[in-house]
Amino acid sequence: MIYREAGQFKTSYGADQMIFPILQDRIFVILAVVAAYLVPLIANEYWLQAVLIPFLILSLAAIGLNLLTGYAGQLSLGTGGFMAVGGYMTYKITTAFPDLNVLIAVLLAGLIAALVGLVFGIPSLRIKGFYLAVATLAAQFFILWLFNKVGWFVNYSPSGTITAPPRTLLGIMVTGPEATAPVRYLIVLTFLAFFALAAKNLVRGRIGRSWMAIRDMDIAAEIIGIRPYQTKLLAFAISSFYCGVAGGLYVFCYLGSAETEAFDIALSFSVLFMIIIGGLGSILGSILGAAFITMVPIFLTNAPPLIGLSMPIDLQKHIEVMLFGSLIVFFLIVEPRGIARLWQIAKEKFRLWPFPY
Amino acid sequence: MTQKARQIGDTLLKVEGVSLTFGGVKALTDVSFEIREHEVLAIIGPNGAGKSSMLNVINGFYHPQEGAITYKGETRKQMRPYAAAKSGIARTFQNIALFKGMSTLDNIMTGRLLKMHCNFLLQALYLGPAREEELRHRASVEHIIDFLEIQSIRRTPVGRLPYGLQKRVELGRALAAEPDLLLLDEPMAGMNVEEKEDMCRFILDVNDEFGTTIALIEHDMSVVMDISDRVVVLDYGRKIADGSPDEVRANPEVIEAYLGIRHN
Amino acid sequence: MEILYAFFVAPFVDMASDPIFFSEVVIGGVLTGIMYSLVALGFVLIFKASGVFNFSQGVMVLFAALTLVGLMEHGVPVWLALILTVMVMIALAFAVEWIMLRRLVNQEEIVLFMSTIGLSFVLQGFGETVWGSNVKLLDVGIPNESFEVGGILLNEFDLFAAASGALMVTVLAVFFHYTRMGRALRAVADDHQAALAVGIPLKTIWIMVWSVAGMVGLVAGIMWGAKSGVQFSLSLIALKALPVLILGGFTSVPGAIVGGLIIGVGEKIAEIYWGPLVGGAIENWFAYMLALVFLLFRPQGLFGEKIIERV
């Protein structure tokens, strides 16, 4: 009954083009964002560090991949590689210029990741679909190998590990071992909020439409005057920028220190899972999918002890993997268009409730 | 015959000696004709006569091995689809080629993409010029939506629309580009009588109101004879007739092609 | 100049100066290549017959090998264990069709692809839950003696692997091209609904190809497992089969073989002659880079059909 749009008349195209044309949605979103900023007041260290921070960072990466795969239709399995570029480049930049604001270093690293993405996007001009997906694996493996083999990237540290140095922002420690979880949480949240909005703006305008046109029917898109090369390459660049920024935050605000294993193919797959489960071609879906994929393993790990079941650790690990796989299959069968679609259906229902028509 | 206020002008596009082959198959052989400004030209012929291939050549999707095309005074052997679109050629397709994942509104908005120029940074922020540009084009797209009477399906994903409406949306997308030359590939295929009448009306209105030059492929002879100023007939990749509807109707070769009298 | 010499001249000088070692490298590459081909073959079968890009093929290899080893560890004789494993793989095909595929008919490719990734998690978890995750030795009694031909060291086991790979490919190629079932399979790959409409039993076909792919996986599993032990890393060779597929084309049985050989030989040679120059371990990415460069020149693969686009 509360969720009604009756009586809200749009009198300009501007009003009709808003992201949330319905008043209740706007209120809900504003409340949700405010609530997200208040979370550190109630959440403990464990929740922030082990659940929420990785969730937010991976949401950002998922948005990046969704721009490329969900909107522009170019399947990529190289997300981990592009995130690694962000992580390692942030490290290089901030150790080379210690006085530079570390957040700017993250953004610059994102730009470098965008360039790398551009290079690995070139094959998309000739190849499509799964062929392209395999080509992006080249990015994944080559980039990690490079960071492993070339000492310059890790400042010749013998262990090959990069460690986030302590950096401050407005006098507050934001990275390094001294930085508290709430501070890091707020930084990551701000990044996500800003870039999620930017992504939404991109996809509802000219660029988003040309991406979707290429995705839905590339030949027709070309004939109505969309240049496929530029459009696809832009998608690769912007997507990799998002992944790069997420990678920088992953090292500096979440892991603290990392080796290339942190960015291996498993990471690429889990980000891909996020957007499939969440919903291809949906910004909100990317975030919901990231929530699902980060929360489920935590739930599966904690659930058996809760109901008084105890079993050997490795057995539990195997069962966890199995359940995770089953859940994914289950989800794909129930709603191949993802959680975002379920959310939309629920909203439609709620709009009419309690009257059936 | 409808009475038309507009004046048929000079040659807009001239096809000269175009031949197109795929491997050993000859799709078009030495075809020449011209399209004049503001006219409605119909290209007819039996199945496989090379009509669609002809349109594909005109808007740069196929590259003919021989011959040249002169458009707006500029002669070229071939062009990229992008360049064709930019110089004002828009088209619809025989098998609807809409973007199925997008709404009607978004589909028609893609027709305006060539006229939108804001860079992605401004768009990401949805500030000033980007917002203003978006709204300006939205307004002109709404004009087309009104013209085609599809207001009620504005937000519907086109994949869910019935065939006839999809054809209409596709026309909308082509119109959104404000083309000088509009190519329609069987705009009335698979429609019932009412839908056909609607479509005819839209085509004539476009031609009348905006002065758009139209080249269309159609199988329904009564429609062709009704709405076109001139007719070009293709058979087995060759042009066998070219002239006013009445002339073409009387042409013995055309009759032969349509009645299926044996060749040679 | 020196660096140019090191990259473009020295490796070839090395090859020429020790031809026996070089031919051993090539043979080693061929044998690894056959292994890749066997895995790729499973992919091709399923892709050809159902249009599903089956990511779980690698895990199916692991699962088959695990089942076989597990049974043998429990004292089951080899021949019985083999039969039982084949039955398990057929049962798996039934289960996959029942639980997954029939509910995903006509979904988008990417959804089917993702579901097979989910399946690979399930299989891996299931296999390790039942059989444990420690490295196991597999010995099914394939002869393993080394001998010399013209100064080149050869191994009976490797030859056996090569022969069984070749046999398998021949049988499958004949099956696809000359039998009624093969034609039905190709029809299904083209269009699920159209195939149903002309009365091809979709379900039977799917169960069949998944069973066959399972058996191909078993053969690959036996070969790899006997060589390097049955362990989780077996499933990672699946990823190596992807560039093989690209080289050969997704739908070509001979392509899978030729692609596997090219990748196998190429990466061995690159690793041994060029690897040391850039710090080694280039086997990790060389195959993908090779495939990528190759794609730029021939997007449809070696044996894929040329794509003609029309509107």
Side-chain angles (χ1 to χ4, degrees):
Chain A
M1 286 295 267
I2 312 160
Y3 191 66
R4 277 278 181 286
E5 57 189 295
Q8 299 177 28
F9 299 111
K10 294 159 227 166
T11 50
S12 71
Y13 293 133
D16 194 42
Q17 294 276 54
M18 282 199 296
I19 300 177
F20 302 108
I22 301 172
L23 180 66
Q24 286 88 336
D25 278 347
R26 281 202 291 283
I27 296 172
F28 177 76
V29 167
I30 290 169
L31 285 179
V33 172
V34 170
Y37 272 95
L38 297 178
V39 159
L41 294 179
I42 49 163
N44 61 19
E45 179 86 12
Y46 170 80
W47 268 91
L48 288 175
Q49 172 62 29
V51 182
L52 293 174
I53 291 179
F55 152 59
L56 294 175
I57 295 173
L58 291 174
S59 297
L60 190 58
I63 291 175
L65 182 62
N66 217 337
L67 292 180
L68 182 64
T69 302
Y71 286 95
Q74 312 295 309
L75 184 55
S76 163
L77 300 175
T79 318
F82 298 129
M83 286 177 74
V85 173
Y88 277 73
M89 284 301 131
T90 310
Y91 175 73
K92 274 312 275 187
I93 293 170
T94 192
T95 48
F97 308 98
D99 295 328
L100 186 74
N101 186 325
V102 67
L103 301 185
I104 292 181
V106 169
L107 292 176
L108 288 176
L111 289 181
I112 296 175
L115 280 179
V116 175
L118 209 58
V119 171
F120 281 99
I122 291 173
S124 71
L125 310 185
R126 298 275 324 253
I127 55 183
K128 296 174 188 173
F130 290 121
Y131 284 88
L132 179 65
V134 177
T136 58
L137 276 178
Q140 170 75 37
F141 288 107
F142 180 73
I143 290 171
L144 292 197
W145 173 83
L146 196 66
F147 290 154
N148 251 337
K149 289 291 166 193
V150 182
W152 181 79
F153 289 110
V154 294
N155 289 344
Y156 303 100
S157 108
S159 61
T161 310
I162 53 170
T163 305
R167 294 284 182 268
T168 56
L169 181 74
L170 305 171
I172 303 165
M173 198 61 85
V174 293
T175 64
E178 309 272 294
T180 60
V183 171
R184 284 179 287 130
Y185 169 83
L186 290 177
I187 287 178
V188 172
L189 178 64
T190 309
F191 263 96
L192 177 64
F194 178 79
F195 282 111
L197 181 66
K200 185 73 200 173
N201 281 337
L202 277 182
V203 299
R204 69 197 174 119
R206 172 178 71 96
I207 290 167
R209 285 193 202 104
S210 43
W211 283 345
M212 290 186 274
I214 290 280
R215 172 195 70 189
D216 285 351
M217 195 171 248
D218 51 354
I219 298 170
E222 198 178 344
I223 284 169
I224 63 167
I226 295 168
R227 277 179 289 190
Y229 303 165
Q230 282 88 335
T231 310
K232 286 182 190 174
L233 286 182
L234 185 66
F236 265 97
I238 293 181
S239 162
S240 304
F241 173 79
Y242 272 75
C243 292
V245 169
L249 295 174
Y250 200 58
V251 175
F252 277 69
C253 292
Y254 172 53
L255 296 174
S257 69
E259 292 172 35
T260 47
E261 279 84 57
F263 298 102
D264 67 3
I265 183 89
L267 181 66
S268 300
F269 276 119
S270 55
V271 177
L272 187 60
F273 275 139
M274 288 170 194
I275 65 169
I276 307 262
I277 299 275
L280 285 171
S282 160
I283 300 293
L284 175 70
S286 315
I287 298 173
L288 295 175
F292 184 83
I293 299 288
T294 40
M295 307 291 174
V296 163
I298 293 171
F299 173 76
L300 290 178
T301 314
N302 291 326
L306 278 181
I307 54 170
L309 216 65
S310 75
M311 54 180 105
I313 301 267
D314 63 331
L315 181 62
Q316 190 189 334
K317 199 84 208 145
H318 300 325
I319 292 182
E320 228 179 275
V321 170
M322 213 165 99
L323 282 176
F324 186 67
S326 325
L327 264 175
I328 285 166
V329 175
F330 174 76
F331 242 99
L332 290 173
I333 290 171
V334 173
E335 183 49 74
R337 273 167 299 176
I339 306 176
R341 175 80 189 137
L342 290 177
W343 174 255
Q344 208 185 338
I345 293 171
K347 253 170 55 167
E348 307 269 303
K349 288 254 156 70
F350 198 39
R351 244 163 99 173
L352 299 175
W353 185 85
F355 309 108
Y357 297 104
Chain B
M1 279 297 242
T2 37
Q3 233 18 68
K4 288 171 192 175
R6 79 228 140 64
Q7 279 289 272
I8 291 176
D10 297 337
T11 304
L12 177 67
L13 180 131
K14 194 161 158 193
V15 177
E16 281 169 299
V18 164
S19 297
L20 176 74
T21 56
F22 297 105
V25 185
K26 282 188 176 168
L28 294 170
T29 314
D30 195 21
V31 176
S32 307
F33 63 92
E34 55 183 43
I35 305 176
R36 298 186 194 126
E37 273 176 41
H38 310 307
E39 77 173 343
V40 175
L41 174 83
I43 302 175
I44 63 172
N47 283 326
K51 307 180 297 290
S52 289
S53 295
M54 195 61 241
L55 289 199
N56 283 337
V57 166
I58 292 177
N59 77 342
F61 188 66
Y62 287 163
H63 300 151
Q65 279 78 12
E66 277 170 56
I69 290 174
T70 310
Y71 176 62
K72 290 186 181 169
E74 210 179 315
T75 304
R76 45 191 136 183
K77 196 159 181 288
Q78 51 174 251
M79 52 171 131
R80 299 291 308 160
Y82 167 77
K86 203 165 172 71
S87 62
I89 302 178
R91 72 171 287 183
T92 67
F93 300 85
Q94 184 178 352
N95 306 310
I96 300 172
L98 285 169
F99 307 121
K100 295 216 162 42
M102 300 158 77
S103 67
T104 300
L105 180 64
D106 277 334
N107 261 286
I108 301 180
M109 284 294 274
T110 58
R112 311 256 342 150
L113 285 175
L114 273 176
K115 300 185 188 302
M116 299 171 81
H117 304 288
C118 266
N119 69 40
F120 67 89
L121 282 178
L122 278 173
Q123 266 201 46
L125 302 172
Y126 198 57
L127 283 179
R131 185 182 147 83
E132 188 266 336
E133 180 182 70
E134 179 81 17
L135 297 183
R136 188 155 40 86
H137 289 289
R138 171 78 194 271
S140 53
V141 164
E142 287 294 338
H143 183 69
I144 291 167
I145 289 178
D146 287 343
F147 174 76
L148 294 174
E149 298 158 17
I150 47 177
Q151 294 91 337
S152 58
I153 55 165
R154 206 185 263 125
R155 296 280 178 194
T156 317
V158 293
R160 281 195 225 155
L161 295 175
Y163 188 79
L165 278 179
Q166 289 196 12
K167 282 259 176 201
R168 220 186 272 189
V169 175
E170 203 185 17
L171 176 64
R173 184 179 69 189
L175 288 179
E178 293 171 14
D180 300 315
L181 174 60
L182 179 59
L183 311 173
L184 304 175
D185 197 343
E186 301 197 14
M188 280 156 254
M191 288 187 167
N192 62 29
V193 178
E194 275 170 49
E195 287 172 327
K196 275 186 187 172
E197 279 172 359
D198 278 345
M199 192 49 100
C200 282
R201 184 161 51 85
F202 292 134
I203 292 172
L204 291 174
D205 281 353
V206 168
N207 185 245
D208 252 359
E209 278 185 36
F210 310 122
T212 310
T213 310
I214 294 173
L216 64 92
I217 294 175
E218 188 47 58
H219 277 299
D220 187 324
M221 279 310 129
S222 62
V223 168
V224 169
M225 297 302 161
D226 258 8
I227 67 173
S228 47
D229 300 303
R230 263 174 353 105
V231 179
V232 168
V233 190
L234 296 179
D235 190 24
Y236 289 97
R238 288 170 201 279
K239 189 177 86 168
I240 56 173
D242 182 352
S244 74
D246 291 330
E247 285 166 20
V248 167
R249 210 190 323 235
N251 185 316
E253 260 195 276
V254 176
I255 295 168
E256 186 178 310
Y258 271 86
L259 294 182
I261 292 169
R262 212 204 284 174
H263 283 255
N264 305 328
Chain C
M1 266 328 275
E2 249 174 63
I3 197 154
L4 286 181
Y5 179 81
F7 268 94
F8 293 108
V9 183
F12 296 105
V13 173
D14 287 347
M15 285 178 208
S17 65
D18 190 352
I20 298 234
F21 177 66
F22 177 67
S23 45
E24 278 175 13
V25 170
V26 170
I27 289 173
V30 167
L31 295 167
T32 323
I34 290 174
M35 300 295 186
Y36 292 154
S37 302
L38 280 177
V39 182
L41 208 56
F43 269 108
V44 169
L45 280 177
I46 291 181
F47 191 81
K48 238 178 130 107
S50 57
V52 177
F53 189 90
N54 177 26
F55 187 79
S56 62
Q57 182 66 29
V59 183
M60 276 164 68
V61 171
L62 170 71
F63 184 75
L66 263 181
T67 310
L68 183 64
V69 162
L71 287 170
M72 284 165 62
E73 275 182 355
H74 283 74
V76 181
V78 177
W79 61 272
L80 186 60
L82 272 174
I83 294 174
L84 286 176
T85 310
V86 167
M87 284 167 71
V88 168
M89 295 318 279
I90 293 174
L92 174 69
F94 269 93
V96 166
E97 198 279 328
W98 261 65
I99 298 169
M100 229 170 76
L101 291 180
R102 71 164 53 173
R103 288 161 222 275
L104 290 170
V105 178
N106 277 322
Q107 287 294 352
E108 282 177 53
E109 284 179 340
I110 188 169
V111 170
L112 286 160
F113 167 60
M114 291 307 288
S115 69
T116 64
I117 300 183
L119 174 67
S120 72
F121 279 86
V122 176
L123 273 183
Q124 185 199 326
F126 181 67
E128 295 190 330
T129 307
V130 177
W131 306 113
S133 56
N134 45 335
V135 181
K136 294 181 176 63
L137 288 176
L138 178 65
D139 183 12
V140 287
I142 301 171
N144 194 6
E145 297 286 317
S146 296
F147 58 95
E148 253 188 43
V149 178
I152 301 166
L153 205 60
L154 286 176
N155 184 305
E156 282 180 350
F157 174 82
D158 291 340
L159 291 179
F160 183 84
S164 53
L167 180 72
M168 206 143 194
V169 172
T170 321
V171 171
L172 288 172
V174 168
F175 173 75
F176 261 107
H177 281 275
Y178 300 107
T179 64
R180 230 169 65 102
M181 205 54 165
R183 198 158 46 237
L185 289 179
R186 282 182 285 157
V188 172
D190 233 32
D191 190 325
H192 296 175
Q193 273 182 344
L196 273 174
V198 296
I200 293 171
L202 202 56
K203 290 170 194 165
T204 326
I205 297 250
W206 276 350
I207 291 173
M208 235 186 67
V209 283
W210 279 76
S211 307
V212 175
M215 285 176 232
V216 173
L218 175 62
V219 174
I222 292 173
M223 300 298 164
W224 279 99
K227 222 176 168 165
S228 51
V230 178
Q231 52 184 319
F232 174 66
S233 67
L234 264 188
S235 66
L236 295 180
I237 43 170
L239 287 175
K240 272 287 171 59
L242 298 180
V244 171
L245 287 173
I246 284 206
L247 279 181
F250 279 0
T251 53
S252 164
V253 172
I257 308 307
V258 177
L261 293 180
I262 293 177
I263 296 275
V265 174
E267 79 175 8
K268 265 284 176 327
I269 290 180
E271 177 71 45
I272 287 180
Y273 291 98
W274 278 273
L277 297 174
V278 289
I282 63 176
E283 269 181 311
N284 285 340
W285 55 265
F286 181 80
Y288 301 95
M289 277 297 183
L290 188 67
L292 199 154
V293 172
F294 180 84
L295 277 180
L296 287 179
F297 294 101
R298 211 180 145 77
Q300 71 274 26
L302 270 177
F303 295 90
E305 288 132 33
K306 190 163 167 56
I307 309 140
I308 296 177
E309 292 183 305
R310 44 177 310 175
V311 281

